[in-house]
Amino acid sequence: MRLRVEFTTEPFDLDEAPDHAVVAREVIQSAELDAVDVGPFGNTAEGGADEVLTAVDSLLRRALASGATRVSLQVNVIGEEGR
């Protein structure tokens, strides 16, 4: 199964990316995911279910430990692996 995760972390800071946002992006960018798109107001990535779920676990744990007070995320099934 292939999944797409979309997420944001808060609180926002328009002048400089907060530590929790930087950490969350690093987790996603270093995971074995494809179609990674990071931006100032939202981030998306796609990959196999195991890879996405492992990345989401790490993202939540590390972002909260780095000062996030809210993590909004959505996970969608986008297809079957290998199709």
Side-chain angles (χ1 to χ4, degrees):
M1 173 183 336
R2 286 187 53 78
L3 302 176
R4 175 184 299 124
V5 60
E6 302 173 45
F7 69 92
T8 58
T9 61
E10 295 180 36
F12 294 114
D13 183 341
L14 296 177
D15 295 325
E16 184 176 331
D19 289 341
H20 59 80
V22 172
V23 165
R25 290 178 191 153
E26 287 173 352
V27 167
I28 291 300
Q29 289 175 323
S30 66
E32 294 182 25
L33 303 174
D34 47 68
V36 174
D37 183 24
V38 296
F41 300 108
N43 308 281
T44 61
E46 298 178 6
D50 287 340
E51 292 79 12
V52 169
L53 295 174
T54 297
V56 166
D57 177 67
S58 181
L59 178 148
L60 290 171
R61 292 174 189 278
R62 293 189 56 204
L64 292 169
S66 296
T69 57
R70 179 178 181 158
V71 179
S72 301
L73 67 90
Q74 180 172 304
V75 178
N76 295 306
V77 175
I78 58 171
E80 293 300 319
E81 195 70 44
R83 287 189 183 178

